[in-house]
Amino acid sequence: MNAEMTPHTEVPPEPQSTSAIADGALAPQVSKRVAVAAGIGHFLEWFDFAVYGFLAVTIGQLFFPSENPTVSLLSSLSVFGVAFLFRPMGGLIIGALGDRLGRRAALSLAIVLMGVCTLAIGLLPTYETIGIAAPILLVILRCAQGFSAGGEYAGAATFLIEYAPNGRRGLWSSVVSAGAALGVMGGGVVTLLLASSISSEEMSAWGWRVPFVVAGPLAVLGLYLRIKLEDTPIFRELQQAHEVEHAPLRSASKKSRSGILLVFTCTAVTGLGFYYLATFVITFLTVKVNMARTDALQLSILALLIYATMCPFAGMIGDRIGRRKTMLIGTIGIALVTIPCFMLLGTGNWFLGLAGLVIFAAFEALVNVMLGVLMVELFPARLRVSGSSIGFNVAQAMIGGPGPFVATAIASAFALIVAPAFYLVVVAFICFFVLLRFLPETKGVSLSSNEAVATHSQISV
């Protein structure tokens, strides 16, 4: 494959719009409903992600019984990872629905599927009750969860930002990023409370089911909020102008390749960084640093809370200085501070570890919030959900999702305490130089336009 890209160019600002949304006149009560409707699905996705990871040992014993506990754990973790294989498929199908039938329809499908599958896992009989059918059903439900998650992020970002006022898209994008952190944090808090309040026997008997069952009412609430809102003003404009794309996947793959590859690059560093922050750090602290698991969980939960509070500020920075500068600062920051942060974590001191995570989280917030905006602004309106879903989910499946496993393998292979940081540092440096050359400034671009912003950085394959 020979890819040629022209360097970035400035994108002309959006002309004065007559839309109330564009002028920032969206009613406050509607603003809140839009934000909650977009954020709750992302919260639910990451809540389930965290709960399954934290309960992997218990789930392994109940669904993959073995005389060797390591075999049970590895079996459980393999089911955890198989969901990533179905994310690209979900992104393609649900993303296409978002461009054909509307953003609201795609988001409603995603949250229903996610909620039903999560609740079903909480009610699933174990191996002791139904034998081999138990792990088979667990695998099927995890695959369906991965499928639904594949359509959630791009759909939520598009829904939210197409409602956002022009000058506050970055701030609104922070809802999705903060929702992910709060979901992981919520999963950690629930798991920690259960582990500290009931015995290990009770946890195995029924306690592990509680977090999954809790997800059911959250999904119902999310669905209610989403169907109560109209579809986005941008999609309604497409419908009125009869410009809805009926073959968005095919058109996106032909007309928005540069946007797809730029989203892939942004997601590579963003997704990998978030998986390090949200999941791998607990494994690193407990296995490599020998910190007590409770202390590691508390440290991770507090760091995620601080990260969530940083996200709105990251969005405001992006609204002020632009997407390109903010994304580049965040990417090079991750490349430069990851090794020092791991050195702080490696001391085993709780407060030094927190300092390391907060420094890392500051740069991760910048790239994560800007990713949500760029996934919308880099694509024409009629191909927006499909194009961004392709780039986002392929990067997550190839680089972000396997990140904790790669980092764990590196940690096992090398005695050097900071060794797991090398993978993220290499990825961040590569992404930085690609984005430095080719990422356009999209601040102020018209979201109603059916001309792709990323055509200013053409790629010929």
mmCIF file of all heavy atoms in Angstrom, residues 428-452:
data_model
loop_
_atom_site.group_PDB
_atom_site.id
_atom_site.type_symbol
_atom_site.label_atom_id
_atom_site.label_comp_id
_atom_site.label_asym_id
_atom_site.label_seq_id
_atom_site.Cartn_x
_atom_site.Cartn_y
_atom_site.Cartn_z
ATOM 1 N N ALA A 428 2.853 6.472 20.813
ATOM 2 C CA ALA A 428 2.579 7.910 20.918
ATOM 3 C C ALA A 428 3.515 8.712 20.020
ATOM 4 O O ALA A 428 3.076 9.678 19.368
ATOM 5 C CB ALA A 428 2.713 8.360 22.375
ATOM 6 N N PHE A 429 4.786 8.355 19.963
ATOM 7 C CA PHE A 429 5.724 9.087 19.104
ATOM 8 C C PHE A 429 5.350 8.934 17.630
ATOM 9 O O PHE A 429 5.366 9.902 16.862
ATOM 10 C CB PHE A 429 7.162 8.604 19.337
ATOM 11 C CG PHE A 429 7.903 9.399 20.366
ATOM 12 C CD1 PHE A 429 8.401 8.783 21.500
ATOM 13 C CD2 PHE A 429 8.113 10.762 20.211
ATOM 14 C CE1 PHE A 429 9.088 9.514 22.476
ATOM 15 C CE2 PHE A 429 8.797 11.502 21.166
ATOM 16 C CZ PHE A 429 9.286 10.879 22.303
ATOM 17 N N ILE A 430 5.019 7.717 17.221
ATOM 18 C CA ILE A 430 4.629 7.494 15.823
ATOM 19 C C ILE A 430 3.391 8.318 15.482
ATOM 20 O O ILE A 430 3.335 9.007 14.449
ATOM 21 C CB ILE A 430 4.371 5.995 15.561
ATOM 22 C CG1 ILE A 430 5.685 5.209 15.669
ATOM 23 C CG2 ILE A 430 3.743 5.784 14.175
ATOM 24 C CD1 ILE A 430 5.497 3.702 15.607
ATOM 25 N N CYS A 431 2.396 8.269 16.351
ATOM 26 C CA CYS A 431 1.156 9.015 16.115
ATOM 27 C C CYS A 431 1.418 10.519 16.092
ATOM 28 O O CYS A 431 0.821 11.249 15.285
ATOM 29 C CB CYS A 431 0.126 8.676 17.189
ATOM 30 S SG CYS A 431 -0.488 6.976 17.095
ATOM 31 N N PHE A 432 2.294 10.990 16.959
ATOM 32 C CA PHE A 432 2.582 12.417 16.997
ATOM 33 C C PHE A 432 3.110 12.913 15.654
ATOM 34 O O PHE A 432 2.645 13.943 15.137
ATOM 35 C CB PHE A 432 3.600 12.727 18.098
ATOM 36 C CG PHE A 432 4.090 14.153 18.072
ATOM 37 C CD1 PHE A 432 3.293 15.180 18.556
ATOM 38 C CD2 PHE A 432 5.332 14.469 17.537
ATOM 39 C CE1 PHE A 432 3.728 16.501 18.515
ATOM 40 C CE2 PHE A 432 5.781 15.787 17.495
ATOM 41 C CZ PHE A 432 4.974 16.806 17.983
ATOM 42 N N PHE A 433 4.060 12.216 15.068
ATOM 43 C CA PHE A 433 4.658 12.685 13.820
ATOM 44 C C PHE A 433 3.679 12.579 12.647
ATOM 45 O O PHE A 433 3.698 13.429 11.750
ATOM 46 C CB PHE A 433 5.948 11.918 13.536
ATOM 47 C CG PHE A 433 7.081 12.327 14.438
ATOM 48 C CD1 PHE A 433 7.578 11.463 15.401
ATOM 49 C CD2 PHE A 433 7.637 13.605 14.354
ATOM 50 C CE1 PHE A 433 8.602 11.846 16.256
ATOM 51 C CE2 PHE A 433 8.675 13.993 15.198
ATOM 52 C CZ PHE A 433 9.154 13.116 16.152
ATOM 53 N N VAL A 434 2.822 11.571 12.661
ATOM 54 C CA VAL A 434 1.788 11.479 11.631
ATOM 55 C C VAL A 434 0.812 12.655 11.752
ATOM 56 O O VAL A 434 0.483 13.315 10.757
ATOM 57 C CB VAL A 434 1.035 10.130 11.728
ATOM 58 C CG1 VAL A 434 -0.155 10.109 10.766
ATOM 59 C CG2 VAL A 434 1.966 8.966 11.416
ATOM 60 N N LEU A 435 0.353 12.902 12.973
ATOM 61 C CA LEU A 435 -0.610 13.985 13.185
ATOM 62 C C LEU A 435 0.026 15.355 12.956
ATOM 63 O O LEU A 435 -0.627 16.277 12.453
ATOM 64 C CB LEU A 435 -1.182 13.910 14.600
ATOM 65 C CG LEU A 435 -1.999 12.649 14.914
ATOM 66 C CD1 LEU A 435 -2.391 12.615 16.385
ATOM 67 C CD2 LEU A 435 -3.243 12.579 14.041
ATOM 68 N N LEU A 436 1.298 15.507 13.316
ATOM 69 C CA LEU A 436 1.999 16.774 13.101
ATOM 70 C C LEU A 436 1.995 17.149 11.627
ATOM 71 O O LEU A 436 1.810 18.322 11.263
ATOM 72 C CB LEU A 436 3.431 16.666 13.619
ATOM 73 C CG LEU A 436 4.330 17.904 13.418
ATOM 74 C CD1 LEU A 436 3.811 19.077 14.242
ATOM 75 C CD2 LEU A 436 5.770 17.567 13.787
ATOM 76 N N ARG A 437 2.138 16.181 10.773
ATOM 77 C CA ARG A 437 2.211 16.452 9.337
ATOM 78 C C ARG A 437 0.840 16.571 8.676
ATOM 79 O O ARG A 437 0.648 17.390 7.770
ATOM 80 C CB ARG A 437 3.023 15.350 8.646
ATOM 81 C CG ARG A 437 3.197 15.580 7.151
ATOM 82 C CD ARG A 437 4.228 14.648 6.568
ATOM 83 N NE ARG A 437 4.325 14.798 5.122
ATOM 84 C CZ ARG A 437 4.993 15.753 4.485
ATOM 85 N NH1 ARG A 437 5.621 16.679 5.192
ATOM 86 N NH2 ARG A 437 5.034 15.797 3.177
ATOM 87 N N PHE A 438 -0.128 15.771 9.121
ATOM 88 C CA PHE A 438 -1.343 15.638 8.328
ATOM 89 C C PHE A 438 -2.650 16.082 8.994
ATOM 90 O O PHE A 438 -3.657 16.220 8.307
ATOM 91 C CB PHE A 438 -1.512 14.181 7.888
ATOM 92 C CG PHE A 438 -0.363 13.663 7.071
ATOM 93 C CD1 PHE A 438 0.418 12.628 7.550
ATOM 94 C CD2 PHE A 438 -0.058 14.222 5.847
ATOM 95 C CE1 PHE A 438 1.478 12.151 6.809
ATOM 96 C CE2 PHE A 438 1.014 13.749 5.092
ATOM 97 C CZ PHE A 438 1.787 12.709 5.576
ATOM 98 N N LEU A 439 -2.670 16.285 10.304
ATOM 99 C CA LEU A 439 -3.943 16.619 10.950
ATOM 100 C C LEU A 439 -4.318 18.069 10.679
ATOM 101 O O LEU A 439 -3.568 18.986 11.025
ATOM 102 C CB LEU A 439 -3.838 16.390 12.465
ATOM 103 C CG LEU A 439 -5.128 16.656 13.262
ATOM 104 C CD1 LEU A 439 -6.216 15.655 12.888
ATOM 105 C CD2 LEU A 439 -4.855 16.594 14.762
ATOM 106 N N PRO A 440 -5.486 18.326 10.073
ATOM 107 C CA PRO A 440 -5.908 19.708 9.840
ATOM 108 C C PRO A 440 -6.531 20.309 11.088
ATOM 109 O O PRO A 440 -6.933 19.595 12.000
ATOM 110 C CB PRO A 440 -6.948 19.560 8.730
ATOM 111 C CG PRO A 440 -7.548 18.209 8.969
ATOM 112 C CD PRO A 440 -6.427 17.350 9.515
ATOM 113 N N GLU A 441 -6.618 21.626 11.119
ATOM 114 C CA GLU A 441 -7.359 22.304 12.176
ATOM 115 C C GLU A 441 -8.824 22.342 11.768
ATOM 116 O O GLU A 441 -9.165 22.856 10.707
ATOM 117 C CB GLU A 441 -6.828 23.723 12.387
ATOM 118 C CG GLU A 441 -7.606 24.509 13.439
ATOM 119 C CD GLU A 441 -7.695 23.768 14.751
ATOM 120 O OE1 GLU A 441 -6.652 23.626 15.424
ATOM 121 O OE2 GLU A 441 -8.806 23.308 15.093
ATOM 122 N N THR A 442 -9.694 21.792 12.597
ATOM 123 C CA THR A 442 -11.112 21.693 12.248
ATOM 124 C C THR A 442 -12.003 22.589 13.098
ATOM 125 O O THR A 442 -13.219 22.559 12.945
ATOM 126 C CB THR A 442 -11.592 20.233 12.401
ATOM 127 O OG1 THR A 442 -11.431 19.824 13.765
ATOM 128 C CG2 THR A 442 -10.816 19.307 11.485
ATOM 129 N N LYS A 443 -11.415 23.361 13.985
ATOM 130 C CA LYS A 443 -12.217 24.228 14.846
ATOM 131 C C LYS A 443 -13.074 25.167 13.999
ATOM 132 O O LYS A 443 -12.573 25.866 13.125
ATOM 133 C CB LYS A 443 -11.299 25.038 15.757
ATOM 134 C CG LYS A 443 -12.031 26.011 16.662
ATOM 135 C CD LYS A 443 -11.037 26.871 17.432
ATOM 136 C CE LYS A 443 -11.752 27.933 18.265
ATOM 137 N NZ LYS A 443 -10.788 28.831 18.949
ATOM 138 N N GLY A 444 -14.378 25.155 14.247
ATOM 139 C CA GLY A 444 -15.281 26.059 13.544
ATOM 140 C C GLY A 444 -15.795 25.559 12.223
ATOM 141 O O GLY A 444 -16.583 26.233 11.568
ATOM 142 N N VAL A 445 -15.384 24.359 11.811
ATOM 143 C CA VAL A 445 -15.858 23.835 10.528
ATOM 144 C C VAL A 445 -17.359 23.577 10.590
ATOM 145 O O VAL A 445 -17.910 23.258 11.644
ATOM 146 C CB VAL A 445 -15.106 22.539 10.167
ATOM 147 C CG1 VAL A 445 -15.493 21.410 11.092
ATOM 148 C CG2 VAL A 445 -15.362 22.136 8.720
ATOM 149 N N SER A 446 -18.035 23.716 9.462
ATOM 150 C CA SER A 446 -19.472 23.483 9.422
ATOM 151 C C SER A 446 -19.790 22.006 9.553
ATOM 152 O O SER A 446 -19.272 21.182 8.799
ATOM 153 C CB SER A 446 -20.051 24.012 8.103
ATOM 154 O OG SER A 446 -21.406 23.634 7.969
ATOM 155 N N LEU A 447 -20.633 21.654 10.505
ATOM 156 C CA LEU A 447 -21.053 20.263 10.660
ATOM 157 C C LEU A 447 -22.137 19.879 9.674
ATOM 158 O O LEU A 447 -22.402 18.698 9.462
ATOM 159 C CB LEU A 447 -21.546 20.008 12.083
ATOM 160 C CG LEU A 447 -20.533 20.199 13.202
ATOM 161 C CD1 LEU A 447 -21.126 19.743 14.536
ATOM 162 C CD2 LEU A 447 -19.246 19.443 12.916
ATOM 163 N N SER A 448 -22.773 20.855 9.055
ATOM 164 C CA SER A 448 -23.822 20.574 8.080
ATOM 165 C C SER A 448 -23.258 20.243 6.714
ATOM 166 O O SER A 448 -23.957 19.703 5.864
ATOM 167 C CB SER A 448 -24.761 21.783 7.956
ATOM 168 O OG SER A 448 -25.381 22.062 9.183
ATOM 169 N N SER A 449 -21.996 20.576 6.500
ATOM 170 C CA SER A 449 -21.407 20.404 5.184
ATOM 171 C C SER A 449 -21.291 18.938 4.810
ATOM 172 O O SER A 449 -20.999 18.079 5.652
ATOM 173 C CB SER A 449 -20.023 21.046 5.137
ATOM 174 O OG SER A 449 -19.372 20.760 3.916
ATOM 175 N N ASN A 450 -21.492 18.647 3.526
ATOM 176 C CA ASN A 450 -21.257 17.298 3.022
ATOM 177 C C ASN A 450 -19.928 17.201 2.286
ATOM 178 O O ASN A 450 -19.692 16.264 1.527
ATOM 179 C CB ASN A 450 -22.402 16.849 2.111
ATOM 180 C CG ASN A 450 -23.507 16.168 2.901
ATOM 181 O OD1 ASN A 450 -23.218 15.396 3.814
ATOM 182 N ND2 ASN A 450 -24.749 16.460 2.597
ATOM 183 N N GLU A 451 -19.065 18.185 2.526
ATOM 184 C CA GLU A 451 -17.700 18.131 2.018
ATOM 185 C C GLU A 451 -16.791 17.688 3.149
ATOM 186 O O GLU A 451 -16.819 18.260 4.233
ATOM 187 C CB GLU A 451 -17.248 19.508 1.503
ATOM 188 C CG GLU A 451 -18.022 19.984 0.287
ATOM 189 C CD GLU A 451 -17.836 19.078 -0.906
ATOM 190 O OE1 GLU A 451 -16.717 18.574 -1.099
ATOM 191 O OE2 GLU A 451 -18.814 18.866 -1.650
ATOM 192 N N ALA A 452 -15.978 16.673 2.911
ATOM 193 C CA ALA A 452 -15.127 16.121 3.969
ATOM 194 C C ALA A 452 -13.991 17.083 4.294
ATOM 195 O O ALA A 452 -13.258 17.516 3.415
ATOM 196 C CB ALA A 452 -14.557 14.771 3.550
#
